[in-house]
Amino acid sequence: MKIIVLGSGVIGTTSAYYLAKAGHEVTVIDRQPAAGMETSFANAGEVSPGYSAPWAGPGVPMKAVKWLLMQHSPLVVRPAFDPEMWRWMFQMLANCNQKSYEINKGRMVRLAEYSRDCLVQLRADTGIAYDERSQGTLQLFRTQKQLDGSAADIAVLKRYGVPYSLLDPAGCEQVEPALSNVRGKFVGGLQLPGDETGDCFKFTQRLAQMAEGLGVKFRQGVDIQRLVVDGDRITGVVTDKGELKADSFVLALGSYSPLLLRQVGIRIPVYPVKGYSITIPIVDAAGAPESTVMDETFKVAITRLGDRIRVGGTAEIAGYDLRLHQARRDTLEHSVSDLFPKGGDTSKAEFWCGLRPMTPDGTPVMGPTPFRNLFLNTGHGTLGWTMACGSGRVLADLVSGKQPEIGLEGLFMDRYGRSNKPIFVPQGVTA
């Protein structure tokens, strides 16, 4: 088939790559001048199936109140007269219970584990390089309460066979030797040895080149304006460069997906949540992290990427505002300087922000729609890099009418919200 993929972030690019591998003629459209230039550009660098978890969980409403009062808060809410913002927040609050948390985390871990396996296979098949490391994630607890609270996550990890180790301070220092410089600032940690790290932007750029080698055409600098509807099919996409036609369409526009879908009567619970990062040069390799350390107090991920340290975090609910706020930079610098004071030079930090496409329950929005030839691959939130290869592979299978290799319960959408049973499913495919 002739297929148009809307969006050239890591999700759109992996979708295009796997669609081309399946034998389709693929064109990718994006307003940016190159692949991976928006949310994929400078994220935290984690490929973390073990750390995959929804933000909505038991106790989060009370934690949110506490966070909002912290100097270095991991959460910022900038209220606005935006019904979509308030609807999304109320839906998220409805998922803040133990039952929903366990269901949603299970769905996320299932897709994320599969995606990591797809990434490993892709790396073996192509030799793609992107400052990758396979040394796991260390979730670092500064308080005993945080350590005790890891029990619920550990139960889900056990259920899905995800390897983990609960470490005392000495064990944390063995995994991350530089933490010996700040002994006494943490009480323990949860190590997830199956997790990886890597530069999402480098990966996306190089995979786009490989996709072009398979015949994929990237049309960058093209502004997408609307979809053209004829009955239960999409016949084309109108851009500032004219109308483009195809047999099928894949929408992977991240936080901007709902804006285009509303024009054709589809509502999905995806809302932008801004995240920030700084990228700093390493000045002392022995004082830098070996892999990723997740600072549980400030919800900040500190990741080694080659000769750089990427520090990412903050959830800022402010619509589509892309302004950089100094207070958010201060939080990121505080976390990395507190845990790795000798590792990097924060005075030379590159400051960035991007819009994460978040859903209220944390799980992405994938698969078919009421239109027979329109498919979605969006809503991955903070886990777009983690879930990219698996999501691209699943999407390519669905478009091709093949049965995906994992179960898709809870990942399809109906018109009124997420459904445990798929409503719109390609012929020959089951949940």
Side-chain angles (χ1 to χ4, degrees):
M1 291 185 291
K2 290 184 178 181
I3 300 172
I4 289 178
V5 176
L6 307 177
S8 67
V10 70
I11 298 296
T13 300
T14 51
S15 299
Y17 175 82
Y18 284 109
L19 285 165
K21 290 283 285 185
H24 300 293
E25 181 182 333
V26 183
T27 299
V28 180
I29 307 172
D30 196 290
R31 66 184 179 186
Q32 294 294 343
M37 294 298 293
E38 293 201 19
T39 306
S40 303
F41 183 73
N43 64 24
E46 299 173 271
V47 179
S48 301
Y51 196 68
S52 298
W55 286 6
V60 165
M62 292 301 297
K63 289 180 182 178
V65 173
K66 179 182 177 182
W67 288 334
L68 290 171
L69 299 175
M70 289 171 56
Q71 177 185 359
H72 295 294
S73 175
L75 174 66
V76 177
V77 179
R78 302 189 187 279
F81 184 69
D82 180 357
E84 297 300 325
M85 173 190 288
W86 297 104
R87 181 181 295 110
W88 183 89
M89 286 197 291
F90 283 126
Q91 289 175 336
M92 182 179 176
L93 287 172
N95 279 276
C96 289
N97 59 79
Q98 190 64 37
K99 181 180 179 181
S100 296
Y101 179 83
E102 292 184 4
I103 291 172
N104 296 329
K105 182 176 176 68
R107 292 168 175 170
M108 296 168 74
V109 169
R110 182 202 327 149
L111 177 59
E113 285 279 304
Y114 174 68
S115 187
R116 192 267 320 283
D117 293 344
C118 290
L119 176 59
V120 170
Q121 187 62 54
L122 175 65
R123 197 163 58 234
D125 292 343
T126 66
I128 190 171
Y130 46 92
D131 286 337
E132 70 281 0
R133 287 186 171 220
S134 302
Q135 295 174 239
T137 295
L138 176 63
Q139 186 179 4
L140 196 68
F141 304 120
R142 294 177 182 259
T143 69
Q144 188 63 40
K145 185 176 181 180
Q146 291 171 350
L147 182 61
D148 295 341
S150 66
D153 283 338
I154 289 173
V156 177
L157 297 176
K158 285 181 178 179
R159 187 181 313 153
Y160 286 90
V162 179
Y164 73 92
S165 296
L166 195 61
L167 305 178
D168 61 13
C172 294
E173 292 175 23
Q174 187 173 359
V175 172
E176 288 287 352
L179 290 175
S180 62
N181 295 319
V182 292
R183 192 170 294 162
K185 290 191 175 181
F186 51 93
V187 300
L190 179 64
Q191 189 201 16
L192 303 161
D195 287 4
E196 301 186 2
T197 60
D199 189 320
C200 182
F201 175 65
K202 284 188 176 182
F203 173 86
T204 305
Q205 291 259 297
R206 290 173 183 172
L207 191 65
Q209 293 171 356
M210 293 177 180
E212 286 180 318
L214 297 173
V216 176
K217 297 178 182 177
F218 283 80
R219 296 195 59 177
Q220 304 289 163
V222 176
D223 188 43
I224 299 164
Q225 297 176 344
R226 63 183 176 89
L227 299 172
V228 181
V229 176
D230 183 8
D232 64 350
R233 295 182 62 84
I234 303 297
T235 60
V237 55
V238 175
T239 76
D240 62 343
K241 302 294 191 298
E243 182 177 342
L244 303 175
K245 296 183 177 294
D247 300 313
S248 290
F249 299 81
V250 174
L251 192 145
L253 291 173
S255 295
Y256 296 90
S257 300
L259 305 183
L260 194 67
L261 289 172
R262 279 180 218 155
Q263 299 176 11
V264 294
I266 297 176
R267 300 186 71 91
I268 59 173
V270 172
Y271 195 78
V273 177
K274 185 161 58 172
Y276 291 83
S277 78
I278 56 174
T279 305
I280 60 180
I282 292 176
V283 295
D284 179 2
E290 289 296 320
S291 185
T292 290
V293 172
M294 184 69 195
D295 186 343
E296 183 63 18
T297 296
F298 303 108
K299 300 293 184 181
V300 168
I302 305 168
T303 301
R304 188 180 189 134
L305 296 177
D307 58 359
R308 302 159 295 149
I309 300 173
R310 174 70 51 74
V311 188
T314 300
E316 185 174 300
I317 302 174
Y320 290 87
D321 178 8
L322 282 168
R323 287 176 293 177
L324 291 165
H325 295 282
Q326 180 64 35
R328 307 284 72 76
R329 176 172 180 158
D330 293 343
T331 295
L332 300 177
E333 290 188 0
H334 172 75
S335 180
V336 68
S337 298
D338 196 47
L339 294 177
F340 298 97
K342 300 179 180 179
D345 185 354
T346 56
S347 70
K348 297 180 180 178
E350 297 176 5
F351 190 29
W352 171 89
C353 71
L355 300 178
R356 311 179 185 105
M358 299 291 296
T359 60
D361 62 6
T363 52
V365 182
M366 297 170 56
T369 70
F371 297 99
R372 288 189 295 156
N373 63 338
L374 176 64
F375 297 80
L376 307 182
N377 200 0
T378 188
H380 297 78
T382 59
L383 297 168
W385 182 201
T386 295
M387 295 180 172
C389 288
S391 297
R393 178 68 182 273
V394 166
L395 188 282
D397 287 340
L398 289 171
V399 173
S400 302
K402 296 180 180 179
Q403 182 68 42
E405 295 177 323
I406 60 169
L408 299 176
E409 298 88 351
L411 299 178
F412 288 122
M413 297 293 298
D414 64 23
R415 295 170 194 242
Y416 308 105
R418 195 172 305 283
S419 172
N420 288 331
K421 296 181 180 179
I423 305 300
F424 309 106
V425 186
Q427 186 173 2
V429 175
T430 64

